[in-house]
Amino acid sequence: MSSDAEGRASWPSVDWSRYNLQLLFVDRTGVVRSRFAAGIFERIAEWNGWSRAIIPASAGLHSHAPPRGPSGGAGSGAEEAGSSAGGRVGGGDGGPPSLGKMAAVFSAGHALGLVTRLLARPAEAFDWENDLEYYDLVLVLDTDTYDELLSRISPEHLEYYKRKLWKSR
């Protein structure tokens, strides 16, 4: 998140002249926090008449799923690149979420009135080669994930991509 001359937090600049805006919510695994953030944001956008103009998605830096790529589906060039610096990121808790965890996610999502398709689909990995370029705004849900994301951006592109990033406090 950037700040103005007085030190107040400000949003990154976004090009509102386009037909729609693509938002990506990112957390460590892409299983709970980023999905709920995208789901709640989608409900707010729908309520305010912006559901076709502001399109949220979610991903995890350490998800075990293949990256989406710009088309929104698995099988992007990053997946074919393997686990290189631009491909999948390993780590996390050692595997996909348990059935019990997913049942808890569905239950909490239902209680919030979230769209089931956001919660039911497999967790998606952050695509290091494409996501920063494809999405208009990347909302990072914790400081450690934000710092890790920044550390992986090459120094010559850091200032450009920092304008597209926002981190929660």
Side-chain angles (χ1 to χ4, degrees), residues 6-80:
E6 297 176 12
R8 293 178 298 198
S10 62
W11 289 95
S13 64
V14 175
D15 180 8
W16 286 98
S17 66
R18 294 190 30 226
Y19 177 69
N20 63 35
L21 295 175
Q22 304 286 332
L23 305 181
L24 180 64
F25 291 86
V26 178
D27 68 357
R28 182 131 331 261
T29 63
V31 175
V32 179
R33 293 176 62 202
S34 61
R35 288 181 192 214
F36 275 90
I40 291 168
F41 186 88
E42 183 175 63
R43 292 278 305 201
I44 292 169
E46 181 181 345
W47 178 263
N48 289 291
W50 290 90
S51 62
R52 293 182 186 248
I54 303 175
I55 303 166
S58 63
L61 287 188
H62 294 279
S63 174
H64 296 278
R68 288 171 316 294
S71 65
S76 69
E79 179 185 18
E80 294 159 9

Side-chain angles (χ1 to χ4, degrees), residues 26-153:
V26 178
D27 68 357
R28 182 131 331 261
T29 63
V31 175
V32 179
R33 293 176 62 202
S34 61
R35 288 181 192 214
F36 275 90
I40 291 168
F41 186 88
E42 183 175 63
R43 292 278 305 201
I44 292 169
E46 181 181 345
W47 178 263
N48 289 291
W50 290 90
S51 62
R52 293 182 186 248
I54 303 175
I55 303 166
S58 63
L61 287 188
H62 294 279
S63 174
H64 296 278
R68 288 171 316 294
S71 65
S76 69
E79 179 185 18
E80 294 159 9
S83 59
S84 66
R88 252 185 264 197
V89 177
D93 61 358
S98 68
L99 184 59
K101 187 173 197 172
M102 289 311 297
V105 166
F106 286 137
S107 176
H110 179 70
L112 291 171
L114 301 182
V115 180
T116 308
R117 70 176 166 73
L118 291 173
L119 305 174
R121 70 171 201 270
E124 296 179 3
F126 183 82
D127 183 348
W128 290 97
E129 292 181 0
N130 297 310
D131 281 352
L132 286 174
E133 194 62 39
Y134 177 73
Y135 288 96
D136 298 298
L137 188 59
V138 177
L139 299 109
V140 186
L141 300 178
D142 63 71
T143 303
D144 292 338
T145 303
Y146 180 81
D147 292 341
E148 182 176 347
L149 202 150
L150 286 180
S151 73
R152 301 273 307 262
I153 299 172

